[in-house]
Amino acid sequence: NNGTIKIDGININELDEDSIRGNITIIGQNPYIFNMSIKDNLKLVKDNLTDEEMIEACKIACLDDFINTLPDKYDTIVGEGGVNLSGGQRQRLAIARALIQNTKIILFDEATSALDNENQFKIQQTISELAKSRTVVVVAHRLSTIVNCDKIVFVKDGKVSDYGTHIELMKACPEYKELYKIEEQNSRQKK
């Protein structure tokens, strides 16, 4: 109800819609993938995309190896909504699109929820790299996704309950600590 949101020190109410949209990429839990080739889905965010840029983004998003197993590789048609891809593959394609877009702010909204543990770990490394040169906001229920974040905001019943680093929250926030322990136990049981 109060306060301001600023981008590079400028109140967003003073910015036009295009400048805000041009600086923020959102990667959601269920990203929309168009009924076109993988290459064309990536070119949606950059018309003059080179093959080198495309392949590099897909490597970083842990998708290139999979694409190279397909008969038509980057020219493979993925179907309406990406129906020919798994949930994790759609998320990784959306991450590659975000990398190509190269905005200053990236919001991951449950963007790793459909990934297996191995690919989630790789994407976490990618997120850490991205955070070195831009602002990255990660919204996640899976706490292992956020443990390396600079600041974690723990929300309970729609309100900020606590915030800090993972280590600070493990010491100061019993609910966070309990959720993290449960997640660790579940992860060990799956192995």
Side-chain angles (χ1 to χ4, degrees):
N1 293 333
N2 58 43
T4 58
I5 299 172
K6 296 179 179 183
I7 297 176
D8 287 336
I10 301 169
N11 186 321
I12 62 167
N13 293 324
E14 297 173 20
L15 299 172
D16 64 26
E17 193 173 302
D18 288 338
S19 62
I20 293 172
R21 284 187 178 172
N23 282 296
I24 300 174
T25 301
I26 299 173
I27 305 167
Q29 183 174 5
N30 297 306
Y32 194 79
I33 307 300
F34 294 88
N35 186 18
M36 52 180 58
S37 71
I38 293 168
K39 181 186 288 188
D40 288 336
N41 266 282
L42 295 171
K43 283 189 166 193
L44 287 171
V45 296
K46 186 176 181 185
D47 291 339
N48 60 347
L49 179 67
T50 67
D51 286 349
E52 293 78 20
E53 290 171 318
M54 176 180 60
I55 291 167
E56 181 62 22
C58 288
K59 282 181 178 178
I60 293 169
C62 307
L63 192 60
D64 183 66
D65 288 343
F66 163 73
I67 292 170
N68 284 308
T69 67
L70 300 171
D72 294 325
K73 304 202 182 329
Y74 282 85
D75 293 316
T76 300
I77 305 297
V78 295
E80 191 63 38
V83 70
N84 298 329
L85 302 174
S86 71
Q89 291 159 348
R90 285 192 299 271
Q91 286 183 332
R92 287 180 278 159
L93 183 55
I95 291 168
R97 260 196 318 225
L99 294 169
I100 289 165
Q101 216 169 339
N102 197 27
T103 57
K104 301 259 187 214
I105 301 168
I106 300 178
L107 170 62
F108 288 88
D109 185 5
E110 293 287 349
T112 62
S113 62
L115 300 181
D116 58 49
N117 287 337
E118 181 181 344
N119 281 314
Q120 182 198 356
F121 177 74
K122 290 177 183 175
I123 296 301
Q124 281 177 288
Q125 291 176 313
T126 299
I127 292 170
S128 294
E129 281 300 309
L130 291 171
K132 291 179 181 176
S133 59
R134 57 187 51 87
T135 299
V136 177
V137 178
V138 181
V139 178
H141 284 89
R142 192 189 294 181
L143 298 182
S144 58
T145 304
I146 59 164
V147 294
N148 295 322
C149 291
D150 296 332
K151 179 128 350 204
I152 299 167
V153 179
F154 187 76
V155 177
K156 181 180 176 186
D157 299 325
K159 296 184 178 174
V160 174
S161 172
D162 212 335
Y163 64 91
T165 65
H166 171 71
I167 292 169
E168 291 167 347
L169 288 174
M170 288 295 284
K171 291 177 184 174
C173 182
E175 291 111 336
Y176 179 89
K177 184 176 182 177
E178 183 63 24
L179 284 174
Y180 188 76
K181 284 183 176 183
I182 291 169
E183 186 177 304
E184 275 188 320
Q185 288 170 348
N186 289 339
S187 179
R188 279 193 293 258
Q189 288 173 356
K190 287 180 183 178
K191 291 178 183 177

